[in-house]
Each structure stands twice: as structure tokens, then as C-alpha cells.
Amino acid sequence: MSIKRKSSASANQRPNRAAPTWLGWLTKGLTWAGVLVLTLCLCTVMAGVMALAIAYPNLPDVSELSNYRPKLPLRVFTSEGILIGEFGDERRNLTPVKDIPQVMKDAVLAIEDARFYQHNGVDYVGVARAALANLMGGDKSQGASTITMQVARNVYLSSEKTYTRKIYEVLLTFKLEHLLSKDQILEIYMNQIFLGHRAYGFAAAAETYFGKPLKDITIAEAAMLAGIPKSPSTANPIANFARARDRQRYIIDRMQENGFITAAQATRAKQQELRIQPANESVKVHAEYVAEMVRQMMFAQYGDQTYIRGLNVYTSINAENQTAAYHALRRGILDYERRQPFHGPEKFVNLPTNAAERAEAIDEALADRPDIGDLLSAVVLQASAQKIVAARLGGERIELSGDGLKAIQSGLSPKAMPALRIRPGAVIRVTQAAHGGWEAAQLPEVNGALVALDPRNGAIKALVGGFDFDANKFNHVTQAWRQPGSGFKPFIYSAALEKGFSPSTVVDDMPLFFDASVTGGQPWEPKNYDGSYSGPMPLKTGLAKSKNVVSIRVLQSITPKFAQTWIGRFGFDPQRHPAYLTMALGAGAVTPMQMAGAFAVFANGGYRINPYLITRVIDQSGKILADSPPVDPIQAGHAIDARNAFIMNTMLSDVARIGTAARAQATLKRPDLYGKTGTTNDALDAWFTGFQPTLVASVWMGYDTPRTLGTRETGGGLSLPIWINFMQTALKDVPIAEIKPPAGVIRLNNDWYYTEYAYGSGIANLDGAGIVASNPQDVDMPTPGNARPAAPTTERNRILDMFK
């Protein structure tokens, strides 16, 4: 039997069903991959739809952003519109997008979102790129946030970096793009973004870093501002200029690449030298006490809304006068301080031998003792009687020698007490000398105040409540109740004019003595300041020379009770001025503000004024919330007779011409100056209050805890120079003003009288009274409280009765 076999060729041609080919595997793999991708896409879409359905209704309502009103600080301005104070956690100046310069918009778009006006809020290519990088590297720090996404995050979301928050950010972005225009979104971004140093928005940042309004910035400045949002606290130009500069140049390149600027403009922008404003110079006019007064008044009205409502408060302060007042007071206090013994270093620090550790120790010590105005802190590195080498914050080294050591020379003596001795590690103060070098100084222990106002309406033109607000926030203008000393005498003399006295009334300047039976306590023997007595003298001379005995005799004549009532017409609180003879020497209590307001009554012809500071309050939308035009004091009527004010001014002119304040007219070369010096017992307080008919100013100097200023110190030596320095600026372009005599006065023998007192039968010598009636007739005396004489008792009998 034969067996048939298949040929080998046929066998080889049979397909191998047990092992698919590589092509089959590839086909199946691609099929499954396609199915998987499709499934994933469908799941993603379904998840997105579900997320959208669940999350979208729960998204915040963004419709309020169509009327964007962020937190805006309280801002305080001078009458010219110069910023002098800002209060609120967020320093922001809301600027409409139409008012933002194009160069600023271009810089922001170049670095943040160049296709902002083309996309719908999400840059899909950027999102995909960032997502891939995050998946591959597990790093969630990458992103592709558009400006709209940043608005959504900054306004509504936290800064946490999670996928959930990112989803909400995208959904919010779509919602914002649907409800708002591109310009509205850009406006919110450029006003909302944090840019370091409490600055929110680019308008506030321009003022903070460059000291200029946003409309005036250059390409170079705009590029630097646009680079801050990446690291606002650590890469702003104040914190790290080098880092901010690198970022700025990169942004300039991006601006050129996007066609916003030309190559030539880019080159010039990179070459521009930038002046960065120091952190403490954002406010150019030193009016810290004024700003704080406004803050307190606004808080009393609006509560916590004060700091977020965007109130703009305009004051009556004149910027030039305020600056002059600030420097005049500081100069006067420092001049006094240079004559005082050295107080000793402010502290001592150990200086490590290691250079890096030493630099750190110096910076820490100086951070604890910050600069106060032009009084800069420094740590002594080397000290000898001839030279001091000291280090400033940041490592700057300075040298002091010769006259620059005068203020602290006693601390360089080998015999100085350990607490006073200047040695390496001592913290001292230095300041720029007039010749350009350095000189030592010390923080003053004494303080002072200056306030100036317009006597015609009460508008406060300048106010400095102390040497330095950061060192002492106590406002001495309004809060310091001090004895006015001889500065109070004009108000006693004014009362005397209503009792029939005149400038030529002769009063005996001879010693007085009151025993215990008169005083009810200890015997009292008042003395003139200089201890000398000149015998009989006209009343006007007694005021010009500030004779204490003359003032006491006058007050004794008119009675303290009448004077106590009379001074209320000037705005003083009679209860703070007990009806005793010591009132003649200014033993009561006043504030510098009260003194300025009281002298204004003389300056304006007898009208009482109410000092005011705020002229207008406007909210963020421009709505006027308060508008206070100057009040005409004439409407309220006279506080004192115009004749009284005029005759008092003739005597106050003598004070500024030939009396204790003669330096005023001699220095300023003006005849229209009036005023009175004041020095209290033991020189605890030094005053000068004076005026020109358009401006009255009061200056006080003393220690917060009263102690003597020095046996030779007076108001004429301490406060008057400050007043003169201030008035040199304040009256620079003010024409000479003549005070015209009112009706009812007449001039005889170079003195002025009330008309009804001017004629009579001669001079009556009041034996034993210490006062001679110089009016040419006996006149009737007025009853207390009347503005004009109308009582039956003659002057001779009245005054004689007072001395019985």
C-alpha cells in the first residue's frame, strides 16, 4: 500500500495561526490605544461637564466687578493737593483704564499676557504645556495664567496651588470674560495687583517707588513696575534693586519682541538711570501730626470704613508754610540741644571680630535705632578725642573730626563716666553739616510746637506738634496744657483797657509784697524776670519790657474776677485760669492752638475765630461728602471792641519793635509785626505768639516732664527765633498790611485813646496806688463784662479803692 505525502512546499505555505504577526499586534495596540484615548476624552468631557454643572452655580457672583470698588485708603492732602498722609492696609490710587498710560499697559501685556486681547481668557497652548510639565515632573509650580485668570485668583481665590483651585480659576475666568469687557478686566488687574511696600496697583507703585504719578512714567520705569508682580516683596526696587533691574531689562526685550517699542527705544530704556525713592520718602511734606488729626476726625465720623472707603480729605494746610514750620521748629530745638551737655550714647553693642558677624550686629543695632529725619544713627568703630569712625546701615563708613565733634566732645574725654563715654560699639547720631561733611548730634530731650493760622477765618496753615512724630506722637499743639507765662499778659491788658486804662497810663514798677494775711497761705513777693525795677512807667512800656510787677498791679486794679471773665472772649477756658493775682503772670493753662486763636482776635480787629483744618471730603467716586468754606467771623459779631483790639495792637507792635521781641521787626524788616514773648517761672516753658494781619503763629518749647530750660533761657531766646525763621518763608511775598484805626479812637501825644477818655482837666496822681491816670480827665469805669465804660465810679476812686 502506498502512502501519499504532502510536499514540503505545501506545508511551508500553511499560515501559522498560533502566533500573530507584529503587524497584528501593532494594529490591535493602536486600536486599544484609540479606544482608551477616546474613553479618557469622553471621561474628561463628562467630568468637565459634571464639574461645570456642580461648580459653576457655586462660583462667586462676579457682577459686582462691573462696578469695581476695591479697598481704598484714607488719603490726606494739603490745600494744593499734595499728599501728606495715607491710612489703610492697602495703599491704592484707583485709576480708570483710560487714564493708565499705554506704555504701562504694554509693559504688563508683554510680560504677563501678550495675547490678552485675542484669547477668551485661557491660553490653551500654555495650559497644555504647563500641565505636561507638571505631570512629567510632579511640579505644580508651573502655570500659564492669563491676566483674566490672575484677576479671578487675586479677587476671589486663595493662593494655594492645587488642581481643584485651578479648576475653579478656569471656570471663574470664563465667567469674567463673559460678563466683563477686556478693558474692565485689565483695569481691575492693574489696580488690584500687589506690588510691594503696601502698594496695590501700578498708580500707587509709581508713587511709592518713583515718587511720581503714573501718567509721567517712562518706558524704563514702566518695565520695572511690570516686573514686580512675580516677587513683590523681595524683588521690588527698594528691597533688591539688582534683581528688579534684571527683570526690567528682560521685560524691555519682551516689549520689543511684541512690537510695543522699537529697538532704539529699548536701548535708551535700558540705559536710563532710575532714581528709586527711599521707603520713608513717599510723603514729601512733613505733616504727620496734621494727618493724624484728620485720621482721628474721620474715624470718629466713619469708623472702620475710614480705611477702606477711599476718602480723600483736603486740608487748609499750605505746603510751603508747613515745610517752613517743620524745619524752623527742628532747627530751633537742635540749636538749643547743641548747648546742652551730652546725654551719652543711645546704646552699646558688642562688635564681633568676624567681619560678617560684625556687619550683621551693626545692622541689627541700627534697625533698632532708626533714623529720625536728618538725625541719622551710626555705630562707632573707632573713637579718639580727634576723630570718630562710624558705620551706617548697609556698611557705609563716615568720619567725624574737628568741629564735627563739638556736640559730643565731653563723651570723648578719658574722664567721662562709663555710661557717657563714646567707645567702639556706641550708637550715636550724626547729621550732614552745612559744609558738606558730617557732624555729631544727639536726640533732643526737649520738645516744641508751632501752629499758624489765618486770623481772618481760622484756617490752619501749618501745624507741627513736636520734634518728630515717629519718636513722640503726642501733639503738643492741641494736647499740651502748659503755663503761658508772660505771653498771657496782653489779655490782662486788654481787660484793663475796658476799665479805663490806656497805653500811657503810668504804673509804678516797684517791688510788691503780699503777706500771709493777704494770700491766705505763704507770703508772696513777685519779682520782675531780670530782678530790676524801673519805677513809674507807661502801661505800654510795662508790656513791651514784660514787667511782672506792672502786670500784677494792673490785675489787682481791675480785679482777677473781671479778668477771668474777660479772657473767655478770646477762647480760653476761665476755669483753667483761677481768679488770683498769679493770673497776671500766666499761671493758668493753655495750648499753643488756644494762644494762636486768642491772638487772632487782636489781629482781625476783635472777632473770635474757630480754627479749622478740613476743607473738603470726597469719596472714591468723586462725590463731595463735606465742603467747609471759610466762615466769616464778622457774622458772629465782635468778641472785643474793635477799639480795644486796635490799641492793644499798638502796644504789641512796641513789643516787636523795641521790647522783648525787638528781634522780630529788626530781622524781618517789616513794621506790621506784633506779638508777645512768654517765659514761665524757672523757665519751664518758653513762648512766642505773634502775627502779621494775615497770619498768626504760636511757638512753644519745653520738656514733656516740666523742668527748667536753663536760667538764661527765655521765650525771646528760644521760641522767637523759630517764629522768625518760619515767618521769613510764610511772609515772603505778603505785602505790608496797615491796621487802620476804627471809629471811636483818637491819637494824642503819640498814644491812642478811646475818644470818651481823651479830654479832661489834667492828670490825677493816685497817691499810694502805684497807678497814675494818664487820661486827661477822670473817667467812669465799666462794670465787669461790659465792652464799654458805663459805671458811675471814677477811675481815681475805683483804683484807690482797690489798694485799700
Side-chain angles (χ1 to χ4, degrees), residues 488-499 501 539 543 554 558 562 566 569-570 601-602 640-641 644-645 648 651 754:
F488 200 70
K489 290 175 181 176
F491 309 104
I492 304 300
Y493 282 54
S494 172
L497 293 182
E498 294 303 304
K499 286 290 192 177
F501 283 69
L539 192 68
L543 183 63
V554 170
I558 65 175
F562 173 67
W566 182 257
R569 296 168 179 259
F570 296 88
V601 177
F602 294 137
I640 65 173
D641 195 306
N644 187 303
M648 279 304 306
M651 292 193 283
Y754 285 14

Side-chain angles (χ1 to χ4, degrees), residues 154-173:
N154 291 335
V155 177
Y156 293 108
L157 302 175
S158 67
S159 59
E160 63 176 340
K161 295 181 179 180
T162 65
Y163 293 114
T164 301
R165 196 227 63 191
K166 194 69 177 177
I167 292 172
Y168 272 94
E169 183 179 305
V170 172
L171 294 178
L172 270 175
T173 297

Side-chain angles (χ1 to χ4, degrees), residues 418-689:
L420 300 179
R421 187 176 304 148
I422 297 175
R423 58 183 184 272
V427 177
I428 63 172
R429 294 281 165 174
V430 298
T431 187
Q432 289 276 184
H435 55 75
W438 292 95
E439 63 181 13
Q442 59 182 341
L443 286 181
E445 295 180 349
V446 74
N447 225 309
L450 188 158
V451 60
L453 54 83
D454 188 333
R456 297 166 296 184
N457 53 36
I460 299 172
K461 296 300 183 182
L463 187 152
V464 187
F467 178 77
D468 187 89
F469 181 78
D470 292 329
N472 187 346
K473 293 178 173 56
F474 185 78
N475 190 338
H476 296 84
V477 168
T478 59
Q479 296 176 291
W481 290 91
R482 306 295 291 236
Q483 289 187 345
S486 298
F488 200 70
K489 290 175 181 176
F491 309 104
I492 304 300
Y493 282 54
S494 172
L497 293 182
E498 294 303 304
K499 286 290 192 177
F501 283 69
S502 75
S504 57
T505 299
V506 177
V507 183
D508 196 5
D509 178 33
M510 291 300 289
L512 283 171
F513 177 79
F514 300 91
D515 60 26
S517 64
V518 176
T519 64
Q522 295 296 321
W524 181 42
E525 187 177 4
K527 300 180 183 298
N528 289 329
Y529 179 80
D530 58 5
S532 66
Y533 302 90
S534 304
M537 65 174 56
L539 192 68
K540 61 182 181 181
T541 303
L543 183 63
K545 301 301 181 183
S546 198
K547 294 292 187 177
N548 291 341
V549 170
V550 171
S551 297
I552 293 171
R553 290 187 187 276
V554 170
L555 180 58
Q556 192 175 29
S557 170
I558 65 175
T559 77
K561 190 64 179 176
F562 173 67
Q564 184 189 44
T565 302
W566 182 257
I567 64 172
R569 296 168 179 259
F570 296 88
F572 295 116
D573 179 4
Q575 298 303 314
R576 290 184 177 270
H577 301 269
Y580 302 122
L581 290 179
T582 51
M583 189 194 307
L585 306 183
V590 300
T591 66
M593 182 71 83
Q594 278 191 334
M595 290 293 282
F599 271 78
V601 177
F602 294 137
N604 64 27
Y607 298 98
R608 170 89 174 272
I609 54 96
N610 291 313
Y612 71 90
L613 183 60
I614 295 176
T615 60
R616 196 164 74 257
V617 181
I618 303 174
D619 70 8
Q620 61 180 357
S621 66
K623 179 182 178 182
I624 298 177
L625 303 180
D627 195 1
S628 304
V631 177
D632 186 355
I634 295 178
Q635 296 178 359
H638 280 93
I640 65 173
D641 195 306
R643 302 181 303 170
N644 187 303
F646 174 77
I647 292 176
M648 279 304 306
N649 288 342
T650 66
M651 292 193 283
L652 292 173
S653 177
D654 282 351
V655 176
R657 182 174 60 89
I658 58 173
T660 56
R663 188 171 170 184
Q665 290 195 16
T667 303
L668 297 175
K669 309 297 183 185
R670 301 180 64 108
D672 57 344
L673 301 179
Y674 313 80
K676 183 68 185 74
T677 55
T679 310
T680 61
N681 282 344
D682 300 322
L684 301 181
D685 302 272
W687 292 84
F688 182 75
T689 306

Side-chain angles (χ1 to χ4, degrees), residues 228-533:
I228 297 176
K230 184 176 182 180
S231 301
S233 297
T234 58
N236 66 69
I238 291 178
N240 191 329
F241 181 78
R243 188 175 173 187
R245 184 72 159 169
D246 289 342
R247 179 80 170 157
Q248 175 223 29
R249 288 170 174 163
Y250 172 68
I251 292 173
I252 292 173
D253 289 338
R254 291 294 302 271
M255 293 177 72
Q256 180 184 347
E257 291 171 9
N258 284 278
F260 294 135
I261 58 175
T262 65
Q265 288 176 312
T267 300
R268 287 195 298 269
K270 290 180 179 179
Q271 294 174 347
Q272 181 183 337
E273 292 293 330
L274 298 180
R275 181 193 178 279
I276 305 302
Q277 180 173 256
N280 59 352
E281 288 188 10
S282 58
V283 175
K284 297 184 180 301
V285 177
H286 284 284
E288 294 84 354
Y289 290 97
V290 174
E292 174 60 15
M293 289 173 67
V294 171
R295 185 198 68 80
Q296 293 179 19
M297 288 186 277
M298 291 297 99
F299 186 81
Q301 178 72 25
Y302 299 105
D304 291 335
Q305 290 291 310
T306 299
Y307 310 116
I308 62 175
R309 189 170 172 175
L311 300 176
N312 292 323
V313 183
Y314 292 85
T315 68
S316 55
I317 294 295
N318 175 274
E320 186 176 19
N321 287 356
Q322 179 66 29
T323 299
Y326 172 81
H327 289 297
L329 184 66
R330 287 179 69 91
R331 174 180 170 183
I333 289 176
L334 290 176
D335 284 347
Y336 168 81
E337 198 63 41
R338 290 187 185 96
R339 302 194 295 270
Q340 308 312 304
F342 180 50
H343 308 322
E346 294 181 33
K347 66 180 295 185
F348 293 95
V349 295
N350 293 321
L351 296 178
T353 54
N354 179 274
E357 293 178 357
R358 172 180 291 198
E360 183 178 355
I362 291 173
D363 285 351
E364 287 182 1
L366 297 182
D368 189 47
R369 290 290 190 277
D371 298 341
I372 295 181
D374 53 358
L375 291 182
L376 313 181
S377 55
V379 174
V380 173
L381 302 178
Q382 303 172 28
S384 69
Q386 291 76 37
K387 185 175 75 170
I388 285 180
V389 177
R392 288 272 297 129
L393 194 66
E396 176 191 5
R397 291 202 173 193
I398 59 175
E399 292 188 7
L400 301 90
S401 59
D403 290 343
L405 300 175
K406 278 186 177 180
I408 58 173
Q409 195 68 59
S410 60
L412 296 171
S413 170
K415 298 180 180 179
M417 298 290 290
L420 300 179
R421 187 176 304 148
I422 297 175
R423 58 183 184 272
V427 177
I428 63 172
R429 294 281 165 174
V430 298
T431 187
Q432 289 276 184
H435 55 75
W438 292 95
E439 63 181 13
Q442 59 182 341
L443 286 181
E445 295 180 349
V446 74
N447 225 309
L450 188 158
V451 60
L453 54 83
D454 188 333
R456 297 166 296 184
N457 53 36
I460 299 172
K461 296 300 183 182
L463 187 152
V464 187
F467 178 77
D468 187 89
F469 181 78
D470 292 329
N472 187 346
K473 293 178 173 56
F474 185 78
N475 190 338
H476 296 84
V477 168
T478 59
Q479 296 176 291
W481 290 91
R482 306 295 291 236
Q483 289 187 345
S486 298
F488 200 70
K489 290 175 181 176
F491 309 104
I492 304 300
Y493 282 54
S494 172
L497 293 182
E498 294 303 304
K499 286 290 192 177
F501 283 69
S502 75
S504 57
T505 299
V506 177
V507 183
D508 196 5
D509 178 33
M510 291 300 289
L512 283 171
F513 177 79
F514 300 91
D515 60 26
S517 64
V518 176
T519 64
Q522 295 296 321
W524 181 42
E525 187 177 4
K527 300 180 183 298
N528 289 329
Y529 179 80
D530 58 5
S532 66
Y533 302 90

Side-chain angles (χ1 to χ4, degrees), residues 68 93 95 97 100-101 104-106 108 147 151 185-193 195 200-204 214:
Y68 175 62
N93 187 4
T95 307
V97 68
I100 298 174
M104 189 71 252
K105 298 176 190 176
D106 292 342
V108 169
I147 284 177
V151 169
I185 294 171
L186 185 61
E187 178 180 299
I188 294 169
Y189 174 82
M190 300 194 77
N191 281 283
Q192 183 72 19
I193 194 76
L195 295 165
Y200 286 77
F202 289 96
L214 185 63

